[in-house]
């Protein structure tokens, strides 16, 4: 006779079997899962170690390349700027080490730096644009004509270009020393130049920047420097605009120029002046400007080649 106790005992046995099965099954699953995770973690650790080794090897190769470029650079540019004169214009974010290295290579190439001019943060500040344009118009020397375009970068380039570069047509200064001194003093007093030391006009110019601009006005600031450099180029035998990492981006002055085919047809750009090889390219690009050629050089995606004469990428 099947009693109620028998039913209860049978049901309890079924649930106990299920519970034991779940425990045993979960234990086996957990062990398999943990074993798989342990193996995968070990594999990932091996991959990380290998990637670190690859990175260290690449960094060592880059360091070797920089050392080689730094050592061979003066030999590579020898005679490239024989008896040429260069004026160096730096922006507020330009690195002093890049400036000093470019100056040294210009000298090694047979050229000479006739002076330096540093632009302040205010120069590219959109909030100061009207003030800059007013000073430029007021300080314009007789005989110098401003461009019809009225953005601050182009107007400032229209003033400083003829002051800093000799005429391409006759190799003569385009303003008197007194006019140049007065204009530079006015821009210095206005806060647009960090200093206005004695500068002799040169045949060529280098406009040296840092990387990409930042902040809400980054695009406007980069455009001001790009248009300034383009207009300076029109005043003499040639100009090279150069910057470091990020300078070829849309918020970098080099990047703004490279997006303008009219500008790239006359102005050379170099996007890796923060490397020894890039500094050599700046000097080679200056020599190319003398020959009335222009190019986009460096390591960024919008560069056409690593250096003048190198295969296009």
């Amino acid at each position: 006779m099947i009693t109620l106790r028998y039913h209860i005992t049978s049901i309890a046995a079924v649930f106990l079997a299920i519970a034991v099965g779940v425990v045993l099954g979960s234990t086996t699953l957990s062990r398999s899962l943990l074993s798989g995770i342990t193996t995968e973690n070990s594999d990932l650790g091996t991959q990380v170690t290998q990637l670190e080794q690859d990175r260290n090897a690449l960094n060592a190769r880059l360091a070797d390349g920089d050392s080689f470029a730094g050592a061979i650079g003066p030999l590579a540019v020898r005679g490239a700027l024989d008896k040429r004169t260069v004026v160096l214009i730096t922006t507020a974010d330009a690195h002093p080490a890049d400036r000093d290295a470019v100056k040294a290579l210009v000298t090694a190439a047979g050229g000479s730096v006739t002076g330096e001019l540093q632009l302040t943060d205010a120069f590219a500040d959109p909030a100061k644009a009207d003030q800059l344009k007013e000073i430029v118009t007021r300080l314009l020397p007789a005989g110098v004509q401003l461009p019809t375009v009225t953005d601050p970068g182009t107007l400032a380039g229209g003033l400083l270009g003829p002051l800093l570069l000799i005429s391409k047509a006759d190799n003569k200064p385009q303003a008197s020393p007194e006019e140049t001194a007065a204009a530079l003093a006015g821009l210095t007093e206005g806060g647009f130049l960090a200093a206005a030391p004695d500068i002799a006009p040169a045949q060529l110019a280098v406009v040296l920047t840092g990387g990409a601009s930042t902040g809400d006005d980054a695009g406007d600031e980069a455009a001001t420097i790009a248009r300034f450099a383009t207009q300076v180029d029109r005043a003499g035998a040639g100009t090279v605009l150069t910057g470091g990492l990020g300078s070829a981006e849309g918020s970098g002055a080099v990047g703004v120029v490279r997006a303008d085919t009219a500008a790239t047809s006359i102005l050379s750009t170099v996007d890796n002046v923060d490397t020894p090889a890039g500094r050599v390219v700046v000097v080679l690009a200056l020599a190319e400007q003398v020959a009335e050629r222009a190019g986009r050089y460096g390591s960024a995606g919008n560069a056409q080649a690593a250096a003048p004469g190198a295969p296009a990428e």
Side-chain angles (χ1 to χ4, degrees):
M1 179 176 176
I2 298 175
T3 65
L4 179 60
R5 176 176 291 182
Y6 177 81
H7 282 295
I8 292 174
T9 302
S10 298
I11 292 171
V14 170
F15 278 110
L16 179 61
I18 292 173
V20 171
V22 168
V23 170
L24 291 175
S26 63
T27 301
T28 302
L29 178 62
S30 297
R31 288 174 179 171
S32 299
L33 181 61
L34 288 174
S35 177
I37 291 175
T38 300
T39 301
E40 184 176 352
N41 185 58
S42 178
D43 291 343
L44 289 173
T46 301
Q47 292 180 39
V48 168
T49 300
Q50 184 61 51
L51 288 172
E52 289 178 343
Q53 291 174 351
D54 292 346
R55 180 198 61 191
N56 292 337
L58 288 173
N59 285 339
R61 293 182 66 181
L62 286 173
D64 288 343
D66 285 345
S67 296
F68 176 78
I72 205 71
L75 298 177
V77 301
R78 180 178 293 175
L81 295 176
D82 188 31
K83 299 179 182 178
R84 301 292 181 181
T85 52
V86 181
V87 65
L88 185 58
I89 305 168
T90 59
T91 61
D93 62 340
H95 299 292
D98 298 338
R99 176 201 63 205
D100 294 343
V102 169
K103 286 173 58 179
L105 283 175
V106 167
T107 301
S112 59
V113 175
T114 61
E116 300 176 47
L117 198 68
Q118 183 178 5
L119 310 178
T120 66
D121 286 324
F123 185 89
D125 185 355
K128 301 282 188 179
D130 289 339
Q131 182 184 353
L132 176 59
K133 291 193 288 186
E134 186 276 326
I135 291 178
V136 166
T137 303
R138 175 165 51 85
L139 296 175
L140 186 69
V144 175
Q145 186 174 356
L146 288 177
T148 56
V149 180
T150 59
D151 68 88
T154 301
L155 286 179
L159 170 64
L160 288 175
L163 299 181
L164 301 177
L165 295 177
I166 60 177
S167 172
K168 180 180 177 181
D170 57 14
N171 287 329
K172 293 182 179 179
Q174 302 179 66
S176 69
E178 293 76 19
E179 290 172 326
T180 298
L184 296 181
L187 287 168
T188 300
E189 291 171 3
F192 297 106
L193 302 181
D198 293 335
I199 293 179
Q203 296 167 303
L204 301 162
V206 173
V207 179
L208 175 63
T209 70
S213 298
T214 58
D216 295 337
D217 297 321
D220 292 334
E221 292 172 358
T224 295
I225 300 301
R227 291 166 183 162
F228 166 76
T230 303
Q231 190 60 37
V232 169
D233 187 21
R234 295 188 174 103
T239 296
V240 174
L241 171 65
T242 184
L245 183 64
S247 63
E249 297 176 4
S251 57
V254 170
V256 173
V257 169
R258 290 180 177 177
D260 182 351
T261 55
T264 55
S265 67
I266 61 170
L267 177 66
S268 289
T269 54
V270 179
D271 61 49
N272 57 346
V273 74
D274 51 343
T275 68
R279 296 160 186 161
V280 171
V281 174
V282 170
V283 174
L284 298 179
L286 282 171
E288 188 181 53
Q289 282 278 303
V290 175
E292 299 185 353
R293 296 194 303 271
R296 309 181 309 277
Y297 306 116
S299 55
N302 52 11
Q304 71 184 70
E313 298 180 354

